[in-house]
Amino acid sequence: MRSIGLSLLLGAAVPQSASADTRKFPTPLPEEVLPNVAVLPGIWPKSWVLIHDLNFASILDGKLALVDTRSADRPLKGLVRAAQFANELVAPDRGEIYTAETFYGRLTRGKRTDAITIWDMKTLQPKGEIILPDGKRQLSVTYPNVFQFTNGGKWALVANFTPAQSVTVVDLHARKVLGEIDLPGCTQIYPSGERGFSSLCADGSVFSVTLDDKGQAASSSSVAKVQDIDRQPLFGTPAMVGRTAWFVSYYGMVQGIDLSGPVAKPLPGAFSVDKGDGAKADGGTPQWRPGGWQVIASDAKGLLYVLMSPNGKEGSHKDGGTEVWVVDPVKKARLSRIALKGQGLAIAVTREDAPQLIVARADGVVDVHDAATGAFVRTLGATVAANPIVITVP
Amino acid sequence: MRSIGLSLLLGAAVPQSASADTRKFPTPLPEEVLPNVAVLPGIWPKSWVLIHDLNFASILDGKLALVDTRSADRPLKGLVRAAQFANELVAPDRGEIYTAETFYGRLTRGKRTDAITIWDMKTLQPKGEIILPDGKRQLSVTYPNVFQFTNGGKWALVANFTPAQSVTVVDLHARKVLGEIDLPGCTQIYPSGERGFSSLCADGSVFSVTLDDKGQAASSSSVAKVQDIDRQPLFGTPAMVGRTAWFVSYYGMVQGIDLSGPVAKPLPGAFSVDKGDGAKADGGTPQWRPGGWQVIASDAKGLLYVLMSPNGKEGSHKDGGTEVWVVDPVKKARLSRIALKGQGLAIAVTREDAPQLIVARADGVVDVHDAATGAFVRTLGATVAANPIVITVP
Amino acid sequence: MAGFDKFAERMARGVARGTSRRSLLAWLGAGMTGTALLPALPVARASTHPDAARPEMTSGTPQDPGNPASCDYWRYCAIDGFLCSCCGGTVNSCPPGTEMSPITWIGTCTNPADGRAYIISYNDCCGVSSCGQCLCNRNEGDRPQVRPQSNNDYNWCLGTESSIYNCSVAAIVGTALDQPK
Amino acid sequence: MAGFDKFAERMARGVARGTSRRSLLAWLGAGMTGTALLPALPVARASTHPDAARPEMTSGTPQDPGNPASCDYWRYCAIDGFLCSCCGGTVNSCPPGTEMSPITWIGTCTNPADGRAYIISYNDCCGVSSCGQCLCNRNEGDRPQVRPQSNNDYNWCLGTESSIYNCSVAAIVGTALDQPK
């Protein structure tokens, strides 16, 4: 332990030692080792999630907050850059996070660069990047299904919007762009089959593409009338149960689409989240409807969680919800209702042995409920993100 | 006026026309011309100021807010980029704003570029840039005196800190860097003489440099014991009255430095802002001391305005103040005390015929007082900047 | 791929083609309009400063009632973003320093004074970072991204020199018929 | 310019030369320490989310009392910035993804448990944008920028790959004598 002549160094008044306290603690606290940067476990605990901070006040400086949902005192484990309407993917098997981002040479102007940045899950340091050509990446409020894996996670698909619509195919292993698939009139990317994807189209159809081993379109196929966009529009972000995407409509109808094969197959028997009891999801009083940004989630057992608001009306679908309704899509029945502590915007369920329902609220607070009982467990406060909008369970 | 078949376009329910109201207003509101971008007057009114928003939550996205201090309903006239601990200068005679900024190729990482950006005062569009070499620009919480004019405004001086200290000399007309002056142990830039500058040094001296017509140091000179940094440290940002820089100390002593000649000349007769009445600036109860970030301002008549806090103690000098004391530096007397509506961090006085005292508060609110009477005139609310920290009167 | 071309053709035919002389409506006619804006009224609450109260502004025209600095103003029925009226622009002009997006998302809002349904163009102002004032989100007529012309979640700073989003205007570009022509 | 060199020499001689094996203190000995941090407690209030309350953390050591997530914690007597304890780091470690600045501003704070004055190194964590949590500014012993080693307004993300500031730690690097040696 070194002592330093302080007044020469700092020119500040040096406090007097309190000798009584010094006797109580005869040895000073030890010097601490510098530099010192925290490292994360190689495999993240299952209570950890990534929360996307859109950061409205500076959209160009979006972030991913890595959050331990079981830690009320130290929930924030670190930040990953997610610049300018970014999107993210996580590959725990490779220990990598991928962000699709947009940059300008002079912050707001100058040369535009779109790129996928590869981050190490243990250090949160960048490992490399893949430049995306032509500055056409789709920029919008965070939709998970504009940046998706395919080909067993070896490739990524990036949605483009100029406003012409297309999908860029990227080989994450070789770190290069393979090609681009035009997709006029269709939007969002739902990986389908072994190597391909499906998209929802403006005429209500679903369109499926298979890719060859060079990333070019090998075949395509369309199934008509999957949704009625005027009367029963589906939120664009589904909850996945295996290879089935469960979508919910603005009015609470649940529609499954089987994505296991090369052609997306809508499942028969759409049903309402109010099925099985008297509370109406649409047309009743109060007018319960899904509301928020990420309004549907699944758990490991295949149950669905839908964020619901009693203030349903035209245009209410992004206003957030005050309850989560738990639905069994096999029985087509609602199992329970979970009252939230605030106005939720995004929900997700962890894959822990005792799964937790994570709720990102409009006021920036993140709350945690027991997914099985619905009981409120803890709040993380507004301590991880300015504008939490999407929750990713790795 | 064109009418559009709406349901086909938007698929939304079209509201019914209320025919009674239509009779009251037989003609629809006219179509509006697009695109349409507001343009500013060629010469800004004297009520307009630039307020630097450090933007703590995303420091890399700092901004200048152009603010009409006489408009309570539309105070914000536009924003100018001021990226990453930027600094700014305004040249109304040339109709230009200059920002000294720092960028990274990938927002937070990659290639660093330091540059002066030239903005048009009428359009707030960039007109050009001058690259600053070697990525050494001093980054700190906004100090106006790290980016200053010299040579009649034809050149700019940029402080560097790596932590080695130096000053880069830039020809704004020719848009090129002329040279770099090493400045070990000295900091801040106070333009002095016709073509030169002075700096304050860590031994309490002031050091003056004259530049030749190529921007190289021609001569230098030092005056010792200008300040006692231990016992009576001066805030680094002075108020200018002509070519005299008026500094105030942590304890309320006012020290003038004449910068009109090639060598900075400390003026004799430092005096306390409490001079002339019983209220003590230091040592009294309450303990009034200057507090805030930009704590001293001047008006066109040469009076000084000092932001004061009654909660003075070691370390209180950035906590903000609740009064402004008006001081005549010629008479060395305090003329009046102005009570603020909140905790001020930065003050400035406009050069209007009826000058206004502008107060940027710690809570982001900007208040306006009549400078002559001290009377509160209006608040602009927290409507122009997240973290207003420096006010520039062009 | 021929299949894709055919699909695009089918799409184009399925959507009404506009007759406007303006590129923004011509583009809308082709069924490709989107928007640049941001989400969610509730988020706006979290992002707006508690001391951001400001005096009311008006258009000065009885036929255009309400406060263009308030999210409740009639033209904002489908807006999503910072209101340019609070950012150095007006209800239909961008702040200095920005560039107005040439293409845009279109909403339809009822004017409470004359009872007419107006077509409102929500153009984004681009090239300057987030204005940060008066964040507002309303979603009357908003549909998922699958229908770009009816979705306000796209960043519509397209066709501009920079895609950086600053604020949004709400300009009158026509009146709506109750029934398609 | 010869005059400048002489001046630097005079400066160096006027300041105590440290004997630490650590570059940060060696550099301090040369009279050139600065800091990376941010200003003003009151600004912190404006920037901190009203719902950001969090449970108390402790060091677990009676000799190191207080809450490292609170601005009142004893080691923070001269800090200026986001507290790394709230950002994924700890009181003396940076969050993952950042790089710790090798040189730093040094303060001296009294530990209320043992009454000793400790030398605290306020290292910045760099390369990730503003953490945004627990902004804290205290200025005991802070002097103007003219004395870099005593001023906490510099961005001390120097000597790091990126100068982008994320948060600040407060590490014990020694105890202070009451009088110079």
Side-chain angles (χ1 to χ4, degrees):
Chain A
M1 196 67 179
R2 182 180 9 75
S3 288
I4 295 174
L6 193 75
S7 62
L8 270 184
L9 287 174
L10 299 184
V14 177
Q16 294 297 317
S17 294
S19 51
D21 298 331
T22 309
R23 278 195 298 272
K24 189 173 165 197
F25 297 105
T27 311
L29 290 169
E31 283 183 62
E32 293 166 342
V33 178
L34 299 176
N36 183 6
V37 178
V39 174
L40 303 172
I43 296 167
W44 293 352
K46 285 183 185 299
S47 63
W48 291 17
V49 300
L50 282 172
I51 297 186
H52 192 116
D53 185 356
L54 185 62
N55 200 17
F56 286 97
S58 288
I59 293 172
L60 55 79
D61 189 28
K63 299 160 191 177
L64 306 179
L66 176 57
V67 177
D68 180 352
T69 61
R70 290 200 177 264
S71 175
D73 62 341
R74 292 182 185 271
L76 182 58
K77 309 308 290 181
L79 296 172
V80 175
R81 189 188 64 212
Q84 168 77 338
F85 293 116
N87 292 97
E88 61 272 10
L89 287 170
V90 188
D93 54 328
R94 288 199 295 277
E96 289 177 348
I97 304 163
Y98 307 93
T99 52
E101 301 173 280
T102 296
F103 310 99
Y104 282 88
R106 296 293 181 268
L107 190 68
T108 56
R109 293 168 179 270
K111 184 176 175 290
R112 172 173 171 169
T113 302
D114 291 358
I116 294 174
T117 309
I118 305 163
W119 306 86
D120 186 283
M121 286 176 73
K122 196 168 169 181
T123 65
L124 303 187
Q125 293 282 347
K127 293 169 66 176
E129 71 175 7
I130 306 165
I131 301 288
L132 298 169
D134 306 329
K136 57 171 67 173
R137 189 175 77 81
Q138 175 176 329
L139 305 182
S140 38
V141 177
T142 319
Y143 279 106
N145 287 85
V146 296
F147 183 44
Q148 287 287 308
F149 287 124
T150 190
N151 195 15
K154 288 193 282 289
W155 294 357
L157 304 167
V158 181
N160 300 313
F161 188 78
T162 67
Q165 292 158 310
S166 65
V167 171
T168 296
V169 184
V170 179
D171 184 332
L172 295 171
H173 278 208
R175 296 191 183 178
K176 66 173 182 185
V177 170
L178 297 177
E180 183 179 351
I181 314 289
D182 286 336
L183 201 68
C186 304
T187 189
Q188 307 276 330
I189 300 164
Y190 309 100
S192 51
E194 300 217 341
R195 200 169 55 203
F197 65 93
S198 299
S199 289
L200 296 175
C201 303
D203 61 355
S205 68
V206 60
F207 188 75
S208 299
V209 180
T210 64
L211 301 170
D212 66 20
D213 60 4
K214 292 182 181 59
Q216 306 299 311
S219 67
S220 68
S221 173
S222 186
V223 176
K225 294 186 184 167
V226 173
Q227 68 172 322
D228 182 337
I229 299 171
D230 290 326
R231 287 172 198 85
Q232 202 67 254
L234 302 176
F235 283 89
T237 305
M240 296 303 298
V241 175
R243 297 300 303 272
T244 300
W246 291 101
F247 292 86
V248 67
S249 81
Y250 284 15
Y251 306 101
M253 292 297 292
V254 177
Q255 169 69 58
I257 301 183
D258 176 3
L259 299 167
S260 62
V263 178
K265 274 189 228 164
L267 298 178
F271 64 98
S272 172
V273 292
D274 67 359
K275 185 126 180 168
D277 90 352
K280 299 297 288 180
D282 185 32
T285 305
Q287 178 85 345
W288 284 97
R289 292 191 194 176
W293 189 255
Q294 186 179 20
V295 299
I296 187 167
S298 66
D299 67 16
K301 290 188 293 189
L303 300 181
L304 302 178
Y305 298 72
V306 183
L307 185 56
M308 300 292 292
S309 164
N311 304 313
K313 60 178 180 184
E314 172 57 31
S316 71
H317 53 283
K318 294 176 197 165
D319 287 355
T322 53
E323 289 193 8
V324 168
W325 291 8
V326 185
V327 174
D328 183 333
V330 176
K331 296 183 182 157
K332 302 183 194 298
R334 196 185 63 213
L335 304 183
S336 62
R337 295 166 60 169
I338 298 171
L340 303 181
K341 294 284 183 185
Q343 191 181 16
L345 276 190
I347 58 171
V349 182
T350 64
R351 293 303 186 260
E352 299 165 276
D353 292 339
Q356 300 185 111
L357 170 68
I358 315 302
V359 181
R361 287 164 33 178
D363 57 7
V365 170
V366 176
D367 286 335
V368 180
H369 292 247
D370 183 293
T373 66
F376 172 78
V377 177
R378 74 183 67 82
T379 182
L380 308 182
T383 62
V384 299
N387 304 112
I389 192 154
V390 164
I391 305 167
T392 303
V393 178
Chain B
M1 196 72 183
R2 181 180 12 73
S3 286
I4 296 173
L6 194 76
S7 63
L8 269 185
L9 288 175
L10 298 183
V14 176
Q16 293 298 314
S17 294
S19 51
D21 299 331
T22 309
R23 278 196 298 272
K24 188 173 165 196
F25 297 104
T27 311
L29 291 168
E31 284 185 58
E32 294 167 340
V33 178
L34 299 176
N36 183 5
V37 178
V39 174
L40 302 173
I43 295 168
W44 294 352
K46 284 183 185 299
S47 62
W48 291 18
V49 301
L50 283 171
I51 297 187
H52 191 117
D53 185 355
L54 186 62
N55 199 15
F56 286 96
S58 288
I59 294 172
L60 55 79
D61 189 28
K63 298 159 192 179
L64 305 179
L66 176 56
V67 177
D68 180 352
T69 61
R70 290 200 177 264
S71 174
D73 63 339
R74 293 182 184 269
L76 182 58
K77 310 308 290 182
L79 296 172
V80 175
R81 188 187 65 210
Q84 167 79 334
F85 293 115
N87 292 98
E88 62 273 9
L89 287 170
V90 188
D93 55 327
R94 288 200 294 278
E96 290 177 348
I97 304 163
Y98 308 93
T99 52
E101 302 173 281
T102 296
F103 309 101
Y104 282 89
R106 297 295 181 269
L107 190 69
T108 56
R109 292 167 179 270
K111 183 174 175 290
R112 171 173 172 169
T113 302
D114 291 359
I116 294 174
T117 309
I118 304 164
W119 308 86
D120 186 284
M121 286 176 74
K122 195 168 169 179
T123 65
L124 303 186
Q125 293 281 348
K127 293 169 65 176
E129 71 175 8
I130 306 164
I131 301 288
L132 298 169
D134 306 330
K136 56 171 66 172
R137 189 174 76 82
Q138 174 177 329
L139 306 182
S140 38
V141 177
T142 319
Y143 279 106
N145 288 86
V146 297
F147 182 44
Q148 287 286 309
F149 287 124
T150 190
N151 195 17
K154 289 193 281 291
W155 294 357
L157 303 168
V158 181
N160 300 312
F161 188 79
T162 68
Q165 293 157 310
S166 66
V167 170
T168 297
V169 184
V170 179
D171 185 332
L172 295 171
H173 278 208
R175 297 192 182 176
K176 67 174 183 182
V177 170
L178 296 178
E180 182 179 350
I181 314 288
D182 286 337
L183 201 67
C186 304
T187 188
Q188 307 277 329
I189 298 165
Y190 309 100
S192 50
E194 301 216 340
R195 199 168 56 204
F197 65 93
S198 299
S199 289
L200 295 175
C201 304
D203 63 353
S205 67
V206 60
F207 188 75
S208 299
V209 180
T210 63
L211 301 170
D212 65 19
D213 59 4
K214 294 184 177 60
Q216 306 299 310
S219 67
S220 67
S221 173
S222 185
V223 176
K225 292 184 184 169
V226 173
Q227 68 172 322
D228 182 336
I229 300 170
D230 290 326
R231 287 172 198 86
Q232 201 68 253
L234 303 176
F235 284 88
T237 306
M240 297 304 297
V241 176
R243 297 300 303 271
T244 299
W246 290 102
F247 292 86
V248 68
S249 80
Y250 286 14
Y251 306 101
M253 292 297 292
V254 177
Q255 170 69 60
I257 300 184
D258 176 4
L259 299 166
S260 62
V263 178
K265 273 188 230 167
L267 299 178
F271 64 98
S272 172
V273 292
D274 66 359
K275 186 129 178 167
D277 91 349
K280 299 298 289 180
D282 185 36
T285 305
Q287 178 84 343
W288 284 97
R289 291 191 196 177
W293 189 254
Q294 186 180 18
V295 300
I296 187 168
S298 65
D299 67 16
K301 291 187 291 187
L303 300 181
L304 302 178
Y305 298 73
V306 183
L307 186 55
M308 299 292 292
S309 164
N311 304 314
K313 60 180 180 182
E314 172 56 32
S316 71
H317 53 283
K318 294 176 198 164
D319 288 354
T322 52
E323 290 193 9
V324 168
W325 291 8
V326 185
V327 175
D328 183 333
V330 176
K331 296 183 181 158
K332 302 183 194 300
R334 195 184 64 213
L335 305 182
S336 62
R337 295 166 59 167
I338 299 172
L340 303 181
K341 294 283 184 187
Q343 191 180 16
L345 275 190
I347 58 171
V349 181
T350 64
R351 291 304 185 260
E352 298 165 276
D353 292 339
Q356 300 185 112
L357 170 67
I358 315 302
V359 181
R361 289 165 30 178
D363 57 7
V365 170
V366 176
D367 286 335
V368 179
H369 292 248
D370 182 292
T373 67
F376 172 78
V377 177
R378 74 183 66 84
T379 182
L380 307 182
T383 62
V384 300
N387 306 112
I389 192 154
V390 164
I391 304 167
T392 301
V393 178
Chain C
M1 287 180 65
F4 287 90
D5 290 345
K6 265 174 68 182
F7 179 77
E9 209 180 297
R10 197 168 69 239
M11 287 301 302
R13 267 186 278 118
V15 177
R17 186 165 292 278
T19 56
S20 165
R21 61 194 182 277
R22 290 213 186 103
S23 66
L24 76 96
L25 285 171
W27 191 86
L28 173 71
M32 298 284 279
T33 307
T35 182
L37 313 178
L38 310 173
L41 197 66
V43 176
R45 285 185 209 122
S47 293
T48 297
H49 196 289
D51 295 310
R54 59 180 79 217
E56 207 162 305
M57 22 176 123
T58 65
S59 71
T61 307
Q63 198 179 345
D64 187 359
N67 176 6
S70 161
C71 198
D72 299 327
Y73 179 58
W74 68 274
R75 297 194 193 191
Y76 298 149
C77 73
I79 205 169
D80 192 357
F82 300 108
L83 304 178
C84 291
S85 292
C86 304
C87 300
T90 65
V91 71
N92 59 19
S93 70
C94 285
T98 68
E99 181 184 4
M100 186 179 272
S101 61
I103 40 181
T104 162
W105 131 254
I106 301 283
T108 186
C109 307
T110 298
N111 179 341
D114 68 11
R116 291 184 179 85
Y118 286 85
I119 308 254
I120 305 295
S121 174
Y122 298 109
N123 296 61
D124 286 346
C125 305
C126 313
V128 172
S129 182
S130 304
C131 154
Q133 304 295 331
C134 299
L135 187 57
C136 168
N137 178 235
R138 289 168 58 191
N139 295 290
E140 292 158 40
D142 176 81
R143 287 294 174 270
Q145 288 211 303
V146 65
R147 185 180 280 165
Q149 72 271 28
S150 306
N151 176 274
N152 68 10
D153 306 316
Y154 289 96
N155 175 14
W156 209 249
C157 285
L158 296 174
T160 48
E161 203 183 307
S162 163
S163 69
I164 298 288
Y165 171 78
N166 178 248
C167 66
S168 301
V169 304
I172 294 173
V173 294
T175 51
L177 293 180
D178 291 4
Q179 298 298 326
K181 288 186 272 197
Chain D
M1 287 180 64
F4 287 89
D5 290 345
K6 264 173 72 181
F7 178 77
E9 208 181 298
R10 198 167 70 240
M11 286 301 301
R13 265 186 279 118
V15 177
R17 185 166 293 279
T19 56
S20 166
R21 61 194 181 279
R22 288 208 188 109
S23 66
L24 75 95
L25 285 171
W27 191 84
L28 173 71
M32 300 281 280
T33 309
T35 180
L37 315 176
L38 312 172
L41 195 66
V43 177
R45 285 186 208 121
S47 295
T48 296
H49 196 289
D51 295 310
R54 57 182 79 218
E56 206 161 309
M57 24 176 120
T58 65
S59 71
T61 306
Q63 198 179 345
D64 187 358
N67 175 6
S70 162
C71 198
D72 299 328
Y73 178 58
W74 69 274
R75 297 194 193 191
Y76 298 148
C77 74
I79 205 168
D80 191 358
F82 300 108
L83 305 178
C84 291
S85 292
C86 303
C87 302
T90 65
V91 71
N92 61 19
S93 70
C94 284
T98 67
E99 181 184 4
M100 185 178 273
S101 61
I103 42 180
T104 161
W105 131 255
I106 302 283
T108 186
C109 306
T110 299
N111 178 341
D114 69 9
R116 289 185 182 87
Y118 286 85
I119 308 253
I120 305 295
S121 174
Y122 298 109
N123 296 61
D124 286 345
C125 305
C126 313
V128 172
S129 183
S130 304
C131 155
Q133 303 295 331
C134 300
L135 187 57
C136 169
N137 177 237
R138 288 167 58 190
N139 295 290
E140 293 159 39
D142 177 79
R143 287 295 173 270
Q145 287 210 304
V146 64
R147 186 180 278 164
Q149 71 271 27
S150 305
N151 175 273
N152 69 12
D153 306 314
Y154 289 96
N155 175 14
W156 209 250
C157 285
L158 295 174
T160 47
E161 204 181 309
S162 163
S163 68
I164 298 289
Y165 171 77
N166 179 248
C167 66
S168 301
V169 305
I172 294 173
V173 295
T175 50
L177 292 180
D178 290 6
Q179 298 299 328
K181 288 185 269 196

